[in-house]
Structures are given as structure tokens and as C-alpha cells.
Amino acid sequence: MSDNEDDTTSPDTVYKPSFVLIAIDTNPSMFVKKESDGIMPFRDCISACYNLANSLIFTQNKRSWSPFGVVLAREDASASFVNFNDNVLTSIKFLKEENKRTDDELTDMYQRKGIFDLSAFFLFCKKKFKEVNSVFYKRTIIYVTNDDDPIKSDKNQRFAALNEAKNFEANNITFEMVTMNDSFNYKIFYNELYAVLKLPPVETVVEDEDGLLEKLSTLILVRYYQRRLNFFPFIGDQSRFLKVRQKSFVQEERLYNNAFVSAEGKLVKKISKTPTDELKKYLLKFNMGSLEFDTTEYYEIKNNDLPIGYSLIHVSDRVTDVGIILANTAIMEVDVKEEIPFFESFWQYCVDKNKVLICIRKLKKFDKIRFVELIPKFAQNTKLFIIKIIPFNDENKYPASRLTVKEEDINVEYSQEKVTVTDKLINSLTFDYDPKMFTNLSLAKKKAFLRAKLLQDPEEDVEDVTLDSEAIDKSLNEVGDDFKNLFHLEEETGKKRRAPSTASKSKKKK
């Protein structure tokens, strides 16, 4: 346990960058168009790197350089494409221009024509990390290739390449290999390479640009929010506690409005109200009348004697069901400054007994308290707890159908015709989910505007990818009618929405 300190509850934001070096092979196999979509793998690589850089414009960090670099596996082992110390905006412009080139131009400029020395290329990749002071951070080399025999069965090249790869671990470098070749033979060379690296052989095959972009995006470590707090195992006793850290990785994209415009798009001046010294009044209404409080009384009522942090109430079985989430999930780890290993004892007990810790959370002096459960997990070689808010009664809201299910309705038997039509309806409504299908159109337009200003490019049109309701209705027309007829369903005719007035229509046109 630790003595109380004033700074143990101060919040701080942490950003430890990961540096990813994307190594793109220039073997002739990377310039052969794929049968599936007719696109060269090399072009997919350039497009994925461009989209990755483009996605980093709005990340919340204070550095201007790129968290990833791009190199080409050329015969001279010196083809730097994007450097770590390059400005992100510069990298985006460069990759965008390269992506505009024709297939013939890309092939003529970048396809490897000479003898390739893999060991020299590994050494070159290792030296690239010296561009930034990345020794304390995660460093990854991801090699994209379709060539399963880069050493051409040469024993000397094999020995040299494997010997150079041994230095990755000593330099805190993780190596990963990705291919777009479905018939890639790992036994020729790469299984032995993974054995030298003391890594399990991982076969990562991506089909196209989207698959590669998804893989690359998972390697870029984004900012997370961290706060130092105290964990009080004995409620009411504030003299004994453990130092812990609360970390949150999930963030919502926020683009703040820093200007006010008229309907015509012209900047206007915002008129702010002059602040006064009058005390704010709070009114509490109830059946017998009402009470009025000033600011001081309001905060005294909200105040409680609980310390800031997590106070343990008891140990319990799981309280919340899977899927019940009220806020972005955070995790709790022991603080590196905590010397006594009691945190690990709590964690081990919960794992052995399949239990969770029920706590009261208070994050600031006049904060509303929340009940949370701490669920033990083991991730990234770290013992931690997932912090999950326990909902109050009025926060548990279930669909009406769930509340009105009758037991006699559960064992109802349906005819084969009804089952067949229902299956057809479900199949007609089924589609392959893609996150890009559901976007915030207003946010996308704002991003496009800001991106154009930052890159000094023309503003790109934003495609509205909202599902086409009319097209869905048309495709369901026949099976939908059959379903309604069989189950004797009638369309509900609700209140018609009022048509927009002439004034509102003219505003929209503007």
C-alpha cells in the first residue's frame, strides 16, 4: 500500500507512437494483375499506403512526422519511398501522385530487374528506424511480397538473410510478412525465417487493397488516454490504497466548429453574452412544492465522503450480461510506481474463483458515482481488469417484444410454406456488412473540406452511401407480399409527416 499523494489523481494523456516500416517487394510477380479484380498487387500496396496516410490527418497527436515509413525491396536496397521524419501531409501528396500513375509507368519505374540481396535489404530496414528515436517504442517491419523464394535456393543467401534476421529481436523489431498470392509456399523459405525469429509461422493472405489497409491500420498504435487513480480495497479507509492506471483506447472523432457561417456560407461574428457575478439558482420540483438552491448548496448536496478513485464494495459473480455497454470500455492496470504486489493478488483470486470486483467509481470531487465491475483479463502479457459500468434500473431498457413474449407462443408450429417464405425474406434482407456502408455524411463532408484546405487540393465530392430504401423495397416486393399474405399482416398507416414549408425548402437550397 502507499501513502496518499496529491498528484495521484491528476489525469494525463499518453501517446507512445509505434513505428511501422512497410516494405513492398518489387519482384515481377507484384506487377502481374490479379485474376480476381485485374489490379496489380503493387498498385494495391500504393493505394493502401495512401489511404493509411490519409486517415492519419485527423488523429489527435502533436507530432507532424509519419508513424510509418515505406521502402521498396530493390536491388540496391536503398529505395526509400516515405521516411519516418517526413511530414504526413507531404507523404499524402506524394503517395496520391504515385497512385495516379498508370500500370505501365509503375512497372517501368519500380519493377526490380537485377539481383536482389535479401540480407542487405534486412540491414537497410533495420537502419531506417534510426531516423527517429524509436528504441523505446514498438517497431514493426511488415513485408508485402508474392515471391515465396526470395533467395532463389542459394545457400549462401539463405545463411546471410537468416543471420541478419536474428538481429531483429536484439533491436526490438517485430517482423511480419503479408502476401496476395493464394498459392504462396511458406516451406521454401519463410517457415525457416519464422523459426529463426522464434515466432510461430503465420500465414497472412490479403485479397486486395481493403484487406491490406485493414492489416496496416491495426499496426498503427493510436493515442490512448491514461489517468492515475487509487484503488481502495477497504471502503471507509482512505489511508490504504493501491496505485493504478485507468486507460481508455476508444475515441470518437470530433471536429470542432470554430467558425459561424450564415445560410449563404459567409463568416459571421458570434455575439457572446457578458458574464455576470449573479449566483446560479437550481430549482428542485416535487409533489409538495419546490426548493431553490444556490451554487454552494447545490455542490454541498452532491458532495460525498468517497475518495477519488475506485472503492471496493465486494467480490461477486458477473453482474452485467455480454453486450450491455453504457460507455466506452476502459482497462485498469497496476501503476509502475506501486511496489507491493497486492494488485496481482486481487487479479489472481478473481481468475481462480471466476469472480469480479464490484466497486464504486468517483472521478472528481463532485462527480456522480457509478457502480462498476472489474473483470480480470490477460492481454499483451499484462494482468489487467476491464472496467465495465453496471447500469441502474432505469438504464435497463429492453425492446417491447422481449417484455411481452408469452410462453404459449414459443412452441407454435408453422407450415413448411411459411418457413420457406420466411427463409427467402431473411436471405433477401441479408448482405455482407462493411463499415463503409454506414457513414456520418455531415462529418464526411466536413472532413473533405478540411482535407482540401490542408492539402491545398480541390474539395472531393462525398458519396452518400446510405442504403437505398426504394431499391430494397423493390427487391422484396414479391417475397414481401407472400410473407404478408401468409401471416395475414396488414400495413400500418401512421400519421403522415408534414411537408416542409416553402421557407425551409428555400433554406435547404441555399
Side-chain angles (χ1 to χ4, degrees), residues 175-192:
F175 178 85
E176 293 188 36
M177 197 276 296
V178 174
T179 182
M180 295 184 180
N181 182 7
D182 293 331
S183 58
F184 195 91
N185 191 349
Y186 290 82
K187 295 180 181 179
I188 296 177
F189 173 74
Y190 283 96
N191 278 353
E192 187 175 358

Side-chain angles (χ1 to χ4, degrees), residues 436-437 439-441 444-445 461-468:
K436 296 178 181 178
M437 298 173 69
T439 59
N440 184 331
L441 189 59
K445 288 181 178 180
D461 294 332
V462 177
E463 182 183 0
D464 187 357
V465 294
T466 308
L467 292 176
D468 189 349

Side-chain angles (χ1 to χ4, degrees), residues 92-122:
I92 292 173
K93 290 180 179 179
F94 171 72
L95 291 169
K96 183 178 182 180
E97 291 303 316
E98 295 304 301
N99 197 33
K100 289 180 179 179
R101 296 186 184 277
T102 64
D103 290 348
D104 291 338
E105 288 177 333
L106 290 176
T107 303
D108 292 339
M109 292 178 63
Y110 298 115
Q111 180 175 304
R112 189 166 66 230
K113 300 175 178 64
I115 299 174
F116 178 55
D117 188 345
L118 184 61
S119 61
F121 181 65
F122 281 167

Side-chain angles (χ1 to χ4, degrees), residues 429 465-477 497:
L429 291 171
V465 294
T466 308
L467 292 176
D468 189 349
S469 299
E470 292 183 1
I472 294 175
D473 291 340
K474 188 176 180 180
S475 65
L476 295 178
N477 195 13
R497 292 187 297 176

